[in-house]
């Protein structure tokens, strides 16, 4: 039985034995191995005798009954090809493919099996499947749109994201040219360059625009790299990142860096870079006949509006203001918000300067119209400055600075029309900074002193008072008049220490004269509005009087008419306290502040100093003498004393005396002089009095 082949066919036996493919003959009933060729013995690792004693179930890793089922299938020729796992003598389990068919030798039913080791192929297959799964997962779940194309850029594969982003599905576009699908004709050239670079093995990354199926252009970041297999570039990967959101964000950020959030106008930085650009352009194009204009505007009453109506209303005014400005300028002009209440206009090209006047006029007219905020009608005024390239400067910062200087001047002058920059303004600014810096050292350096100007009652030829007038003697600059430095002291706050110093020294001087035995007179001290408004001013006066030991009735405070007329209610309490204290109050520069005498009767004041502008040439027939006469008679009826300021001639004095204004001060009597010289005025009066008494 064992040598079956010997009996029937030696030729086949040889073929069986010497075949390099493992072969087994299996008893179809029992599953016993009936014969095995040498290749099978060496494959399974058993000597032939051992193998022929084994059952196929000893080799197949399936359960015995499963093996039986499989044998049944082979017997009935239901199947010829099987994939099993076979165990070798060393315990190793290998994947095998078995071709099995029934044969009959005599009465015996046998199965003839040819075994192919498929271990490597199965391993490869599983590796391939795994890799494919990795790829598929990555490819289809990628957040980027990916297309794989062949060398001619025809679509081979696209992923799900590609379908979402570009709205194509694979079956519509397979084998189609990707450039034609996604690019406008204008982009063809760039796309072909891109393709060429990839073909040459380059890795390309660039921001491009690509068209969606519905025609919409998208901003994408395109990443392209070659698809290389076995050293040959057979196509390319094209990866598209949708950067629409990032672009939007970028745009918003760019806008935020360029714009003022509240008004939507451009901001200062953007304005300056545009001015830079326009200057460069003008220089490059040599546009000699065209000028560049910078206008800076500021809302005068902004702080008051803020205090009165609150920040929300103030914001609404700013928004409306910005809107009016934008509407008022041309399409090429740039409007920016420079500061809280400061705005700037850049006119990049203007030939005709008359047009500029027209334009600024229109803008101001439009800004002067009332603003309606929360049922309030609000009127605002603006100050403005203009600088012109190349007339005022050829540099950005200097142009802006000069427009700002001009704007400050317009604010100072209360001009409701923008002022054009002039070199004299620059000098003023330089002088301002010089004074500002030097003034801080004036008090500690003892550069300040007081001059005194006598005030006479001419009806009795008697010295009744003196006005203390401050002087600043700078080592290099000589005497600097108060009109130059007092306004700066007011702007910088230095007026408070300086004012206190004046008060104390003037009072001390007056007391000194009294102590020297001169007839008591009052000392008239100029007080800045800021001093009067500052809380605690009354304490300063009390302290001064105490320190100088001067009686209050010998101190007169001069406050300008302009202040009284506009701000009286803010200082009403202080004035009441000064009255109680017994200090005298005089209204200085009367006739310059446009207040009426009727208005003055409500104030508790002792005297009025008629301004020199009304006194000079008052005797000549003019409206002036009528005004002065009226002022005198009204003051008399209100029981207010009068002092005529700046009397320079006998004629002026005569007119005043004839009209019952006898108290006067002016160069006719004396210029402001040092304290020692005033003592002569006392003596002169005494001498005169003495003379009168003798007569
Ligand atoms: P003011 O108080 O009206 O002083 C009168 C000014 O007129 C003085 O100028 C005086 O020198 C000048 N003056 C007097 N008589 C005549 C005259 O007959 N003809 C002419 N042409 N001028 C005459 P000054 O001293 O230059 O002072 C100018 C202004 O500076 C003062 O005007 C006053 O407003 C301010 N000032 C002076 N000293 C002080 C001070 O200590 N404190 C404050 N806050 N202001 C002061
Ligand atoms: Mg005065
Ligand atoms: Mg005056």
């Amino acid at each position: 039985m064992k040598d079956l082949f010997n009996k029937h066919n030696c030729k086949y036996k040889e073929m069986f034995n010497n075949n390099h493919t493992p072969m087994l003959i299996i008893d179809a009933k029992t599953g016993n191995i009936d014969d095995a060729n040498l290749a099978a013995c060496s494959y399974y690792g058993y000597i032939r005798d051992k193998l022929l004693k084994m059952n196929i179930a000893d080799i197949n890793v399936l359960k015995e009954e499963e093996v039986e089922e499989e044998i049944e299938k082979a017997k009935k020729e239901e199947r010829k090809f099987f994939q099993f796992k076979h165990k070798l003598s060393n315990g190793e389990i290998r994947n095998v493919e078995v071709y099995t068919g029934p044969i009959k030798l005599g009465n015996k039913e046998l199965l003839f099996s040819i075994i192919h080791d498929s271990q490597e192929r199965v391993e490869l297959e599983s590796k391939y499947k795994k890799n494919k799964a990795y790829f598929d997962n990555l490819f289809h779940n990628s957040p980027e749109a990916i297309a794989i194309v062949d060398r001619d850029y025809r679509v081979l594969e696209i992923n799900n994201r590609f379908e979402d982003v570009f709205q194509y599905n694979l079956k519509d576009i397979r084998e189609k040219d990707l450039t034609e699908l996604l690019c406008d004709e204008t982009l063809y050239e760039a796309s072909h360059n891109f393709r060429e670079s990839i073909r040459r093995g380059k890795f390309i990354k660039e921001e491009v625009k690509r068209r969606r199926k519905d025609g919409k252009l998208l901003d994408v970041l395109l990443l392209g790299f070659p698809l290389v297999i076995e050293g040959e570039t057979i196509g390319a990967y094209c990866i598209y990142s949708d950067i629409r959101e990032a672009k939007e964000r970028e745009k918003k950020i760019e806008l935020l860096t360029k714009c003022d959030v509240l008004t939507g106008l451009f901001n200062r930085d953007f304005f300056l870079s545009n001015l830079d650009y326009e200057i460069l352009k003008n220089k490059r194009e040599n546009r000699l006949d065209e000028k560049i204009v910078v206008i800076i505007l500021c809302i005068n009453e902004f702080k008051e509006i803020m205090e009165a109506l609150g920040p929300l209303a103030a914001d609404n005014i700013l928004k409306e203001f910005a809107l009016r400005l934008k509407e008022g300028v041309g399409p090429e002009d740039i409007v920016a918000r420079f500061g809280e209440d400061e705005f700037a206009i850049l006119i990049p090209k203007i030939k005709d300067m008359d047009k500029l006047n027209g334009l600024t006029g229109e803008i101001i007219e439009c800004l002067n119209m009332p603003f309606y905020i929360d049922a309030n009608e609000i009127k605002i005024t603006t100050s403005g400055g203009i600088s012109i390239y190349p007339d005022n400067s050829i540099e950005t910062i200097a142009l802006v600075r000069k427009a700002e200087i001009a704007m400050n001047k317009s604010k100072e002058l209360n001009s409701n029309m923008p002022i054009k920059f002039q070199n004299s303004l620059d000098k003023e600014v330089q002088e301002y900074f010089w004074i500002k810096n030097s003034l801080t050292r004036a008090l500690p350096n003892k550069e300040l002193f007081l001059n005194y100007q006598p005030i006479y009652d001419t009806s009795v030829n008697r010295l009744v008072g003196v006005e203390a007038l401050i002087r600043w003697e700078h080592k290099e600059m000589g005497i600097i008049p108060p009109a130059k430095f007092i306004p700066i002291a007011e702007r910088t706050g230095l007026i408070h220490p300086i004012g206190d110093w004046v008060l104390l020294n003037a009072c001390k001087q007056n007391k000194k004269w009294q102590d020297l035995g001169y007839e008591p007179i009052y000392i008239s001290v100029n007080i800045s509005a800021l001093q009067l408004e500052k809380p605690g001013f009354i304490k300063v006066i009390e302290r001064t009087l105490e320190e100088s030991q001067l009686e209050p009735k010998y101190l007169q405070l001069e406050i300008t008419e302009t202040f009284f007329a506009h701000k009286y209610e803010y200082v009403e309490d202080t004035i009441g306290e000064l009255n109680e204290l017994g200090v005298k109050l005089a209204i200085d520069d009367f006739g310059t502040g446009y207040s009426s005498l009727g208005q003055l009767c409500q104030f508790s004041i002792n005297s009025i100093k008629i301004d020199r502008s009304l006194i000079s040439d008052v005797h000549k027939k003019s409206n002036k003498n009528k005004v002065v006469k009226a002022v005198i008679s009204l003051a008399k009826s209100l029981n207010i004393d009068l002092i005529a300021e700046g009397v320079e001639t006998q004629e002026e004095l005569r007119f005043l005396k004839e009209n019952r204004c006898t108290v006067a001060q002016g160069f006719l009597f004396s210029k402001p002089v040092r304290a020692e010289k005033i003592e002569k005025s006392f003596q002169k009066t005494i001498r005169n009095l003495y003379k009168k008494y003798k007569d």
Side-chain angles (χ1 to χ4, degrees):
M1 189 68 192
K2 291 269 158 139
D3 281 328
L4 209 62
F5 278 94
N6 280 340
K7 280 187 192 162
H8 295 282
N9 199 330
C10 277
K11 202 167 82 186
Y12 288 123
K13 180 169 166 73
E14 218 172 288
M15 265 174 61
F16 177 79
N17 270 339
N18 296 337
N19 203 305
H20 291 295
T21 310
M23 296 177 183
L24 295 172
I25 308 280
I26 295 154
D27 187 326
K29 266 194 188 148
T30 61
N32 286 339
I33 299 173
D34 250 27
D35 207 349
N37 68 354
L38 277 172
C41 296
S42 98
Y43 179 71
Y44 290 110
Y46 295 108
I47 56 165
R48 189 160 174 271
D49 283 350
K50 175 110 193 247
L51 197 57
L52 297 190
K53 283 182 188 131
M54 291 169 74
N55 190 286
I56 192 64
D58 298 330
I59 287 172
N60 199 319
V61 299
L62 290 177
K63 287 182 195 148
E64 220 163 294
E65 42 296 9
E66 287 171 336
V67 174
E68 278 166 21
E69 276 172 30
E70 297 301 302
I71 289 175
E72 264 328 286
K73 285 179 197 159
K75 249 163 63 182
K76 291 180 191 154
E77 290 187 84
E78 275 172 22
R79 273 176 70 183
K80 286 197 167 114
F81 174 72
F82 297 85
Q83 284 183 310
F84 291 130
K85 288 184 195 299
H86 280 182
K87 193 156 78 185
L88 309 186
S89 66
N90 62 5
E92 190 186 347
I93 293 169
R94 299 196 56 97
N95 282 290
V96 288
E97 287 172 357
V98 182
Y99 292 88
T100 294
I103 48 171
K104 247 188 169 174
L105 287 180
N107 302 333
K108 199 156 186 186
E109 279 187 71
L110 297 164
L111 291 173
F112 175 62
S113 298
I114 302 168
I115 295 109
H116 282 288
D117 185 294
S118 63
Q119 183 65 22
E120 270 173 30
R121 196 179 54 75
V122 168
E123 272 175 14
L124 265 173
E125 256 176 29
S126 115
K127 203 169 159 190
Y128 167 79
K129 275 186 198 152
K130 240 192 242 169
N131 284 347
K132 173 119 177 52
Y134 291 160
F135 173 80
D136 282 352
N137 268 320
L138 204 67
F139 187 67
H140 288 296
N141 297 323
S142 164
E144 326 289 7
I146 307 174
I148 303 173
V149 292
D150 67 11
R151 274 184 73 81
D152 298 318
Y153 240 61
R154 283 182 309 233
V155 175
L156 299 176
E157 273 290 348
I158 56 170
N159 69 348
N160 297 339
R161 183 74 181 135
F162 188 99
E163 293 190 349
D164 290 347
V165 173
F166 293 105
Q167 303 174 334
Y168 286 113
N169 55 47
L170 184 59
K171 89 174 177 305
D172 299 335
I173 61 167
R174 181 174 271 139
E175 305 265 301
K176 288 199 175 143
D177 187 307
L178 192 62
T179 300
E180 282 170 24
L181 283 168
L182 303 187
C183 296
D184 262 342
E185 276 173 32
T186 53
L187 300 172
Y188 273 15
E189 198 183 325
S191 172
H192 281 282
N193 290 342
F194 179 86
R195 286 161 64 154
E196 242 346 276
S197 299
I198 292 177
R199 213 171 272 159
R200 277 188 263 112
K202 279 198 175 157
F203 187 101
I204 309 274
K205 184 178 176 184
E206 53 190 34
E207 272 184 28
V208 292
K209 286 202 183 294
R210 288 294 181 258
R211 193 180 51 194
R212 211 159 67 173
K213 190 178 178 183
D214 63 4
K216 188 173 179 213
L217 279 176
L218 309 178
D219 286 306
V220 289
L221 177 71
L222 170 55
L223 216 80
F225 53 93
L227 166 57
V228 180
I229 292 186
E230 288 173 352
E232 192 192 349
T233 302
I234 59 155
Y237 293 98
C238 297
I239 303 176
Y240 303 86
S241 308
D242 185 350
I243 51 169
R244 273 173 298 173
E245 265 182 36
K247 278 264 161 197
E248 282 295 307
R249 250 198 327 271
E250 229 173 69
K251 263 190 213 158
K252 267 191 202 150
I253 291 170
E254 202 187 314
L255 213 67
L256 279 178
T257 55
K258 277 200 309 200
C259 286
D260 164 54
V261 183
L262 178 73
T263 59
L265 295 179
F266 293 115
N267 60 22
R268 189 186 175 102
D269 285 346
F270 185 74
F271 182 94
L272 294 181
S273 60
N274 260 275
L275 181 55
D276 259 345
Y277 168 77
E278 291 299 341
I279 291 174
L280 263 174
K281 206 161 115 186
N282 186 297
K283 280 183 192 160
R284 206 173 39 229
E285 293 168 11
N286 204 18
R287 298 194 314 236
L288 298 173
D289 57 336
E290 277 179 352
K291 310 211 180 230
I292 302 170
V293 173
V294 174
I295 306 175
I296 299 200
L297 297 167
C298 117
I299 302 174
N300 291 331
E301 305 82 357
F302 189 70
K303 284 209 168 58
E304 282 90 329
I305 294 171
M306 186 99 131
E307 276 163 20
L309 303 178
L312 221 67
D315 279 357
N316 286 336
I317 291 206
L318 289 173
K319 282 192 219 163
E320 171 79 20
F321 190 91
L323 213 69
R324 291 188 191 183
L325 276 184
K326 261 204 287 201
E327 278 168 10
V329 301
E332 284 189 10
D333 305 341
I334 285 183
V335 185
R337 184 166 174 218
F338 255 37
E340 190 177 37
D341 54 357
E342 204 174 299
F343 296 83
I345 302 170
L346 166 63
I347 304 173
K349 278 180 211 161
I350 194 156
K351 278 187 186 165
D352 182 358
M353 280 297 123
D354 288 341
K355 257 196 189 157
L356 176 63
N357 295 338
L359 180 80
T360 45
E362 277 169 31
I363 293 175
I364 296 299
E365 200 178 307
C366 175
L367 297 175
N368 279 347
M369 310 252 275
F371 288 74
Y372 295 97
I373 307 287
D374 303 334
N376 293 311
E377 185 185 302
I378 298 155
K379 281 210 165 206
I380 61 168
T381 59
T382 44
S383 300
I386 299 174
S387 66
I388 296 166
Y389 167 94
D391 310 16
N392 301 138
S393 177
I394 53 165
E395 277 166 15
T396 306
I397 299 295
L399 276 169
V400 170
R401 190 179 68 86
K402 290 182 173 182
E404 268 168 351
I405 289 174
M407 181 198 69
N408 287 331
K409 190 72 195 170
S410 127
K411 199 183 253 180
E412 197 182 309
L413 298 178
N414 252 330
S415 140
N416 199 23
M417 269 310 272
I419 288 183
K420 283 190 191 133
F421 175 81
Q422 286 163 5
N423 286 338
S424 59
L425 291 180
D426 217 3
K427 277 195 207 112
E428 259 180 51
V429 170
Q430 280 164 14
E431 195 179 81
Y432 169 83
F433 280 103
W434 181 87
I435 291 180
K436 190 177 147 189
N437 286 329
S438 316
L439 196 57
T440 47
R441 294 186 294 270
L443 252 183
N445 287 358
K446 300 199 165 47
E447 292 166 5
L448 301 178
F449 66 94
L450 292 178
N451 266 353
Y452 300 91
Q453 191 177 30
I455 302 168
Y456 289 102
D457 183 346
T458 57
S459 65
V460 288
N461 201 15
R462 202 161 62 96
L463 182 74
V464 288
V466 286
E467 178 174 4
L469 293 156
I470 195 168
R471 296 289 177 265
W472 176 15
E473 185 167 22
H474 189 267
K475 270 183 226 99
E476 287 132 41
M477 305 299 285
I479 299 278
I480 301 162
K484 274 234 160 102
F485 69 88
I486 290 290
I488 297 171
E490 288 180 330
R491 273 162 81 176
T492 54
L494 278 170
I495 193 65
H496 299 292
I498 291 178
D500 293 356
W501 178 88
V502 172
L503 265 166
L504 185 64
N505 283 281
C507 291
K508 275 184 173 172
Q509 182 58 60
N510 199 16
K511 180 71 171 74
K512 194 174 159 194
W513 284 320
Q514 292 178 8
D515 292 347
L516 284 171
Y518 296 116
E519 198 176 335
I521 56 167
Y522 63 81
I523 181 104
S524 204
V525 178
N526 293 285
I527 297 295
S528 155
L530 295 173
Q531 287 173 271
L532 198 65
E533 282 176 318
K534 195 177 173 193
F537 177 68
I538 198 77
K539 292 254 159 15
V540 174
I541 298 293
E542 282 169 351
R543 217 176 35 234
T544 305
L545 292 172
E546 199 186 315
E547 205 178 327
S548 61
Q549 288 296 301
L550 185 74
E551 280 182 64
K553 63 176 175 186
Y554 296 122
L555 172 63
Q556 173 168 278
L557 303 181
E558 293 189 18
I559 298 145
T560 60
E561 183 201 3
T562 350
F563 175 76
F564 251 99
H566 298 109
K567 299 246 181 122
Y568 180 74
E569 64 267 33
Y570 297 113
V571 291
E572 211 174 346
D573 293 347
T574 312
I575 293 202
E577 285 170 309
L578 288 171
N579 285 153
E580 269 175 40
L581 207 64
V583 170
K584 287 185 185 163
L585 282 176
I587 293 189
D588 199 0
D589 305 336
F590 186 81
T592 56
Y594 309 104
S595 62
S596 70
L597 259 181
Q599 228 179 330
L600 293 181
C601 63
Q602 55 180 310
F603 310 145
S604 317
I605 49 153
N606 306 87
S607 46
I608 288 171
K609 295 186 81 176
I610 309 173
D611 192 66
R612 194 183 119 65
S613 56
L614 285 178
I615 300 297
S616 73
D617 290 336
V618 68
H619 53 284
K620 294 186 181 158
K621 286 243 172 292
S622 66
N623 278 339
K624 213 191 258 181
N625 62 34
K626 285 184 200 144
V627 173
V628 173
K629 276 184 195 169
V631 170
I632 296 171
S633 72
L634 241 159
K636 295 270 172 212
S637 69
L638 290 170
N639 214 14
I640 296 174
D641 292 341
L642 278 167
I643 304 161
E645 277 194 300
V647 180
E648 287 187 353
T649 64
Q650 287 292 350
E651 291 79 9
E652 288 163 0
L653 181 62
R654 192 172 309 123
F655 174 87
L656 289 165
K657 280 170 95 174
E658 279 166 13
N659 288 285
R660 295 181 300 145
C661 174
T662 56
V663 180
Q665 168 187 2
F667 291 174
L668 177 65
F669 312 104
S670 166
K671 287 199 167 175
V673 291
R674 294 277 194 163
E676 310 81 61
K677 281 200 177 171
I678 288 291
E679 285 158 21
K680 284 184 191 140
S681 305
F682 282 109
Q683 283 155 7
K684 225 192 292 173
T685 331
I686 293 164
R687 252 201 320 274
N688 283 344
L689 279 174
Y690 178 69
K691 211 171 121 210
K692 223 177 179 182
Y693 178 73
K694 259 185 32 183
D695 293 345

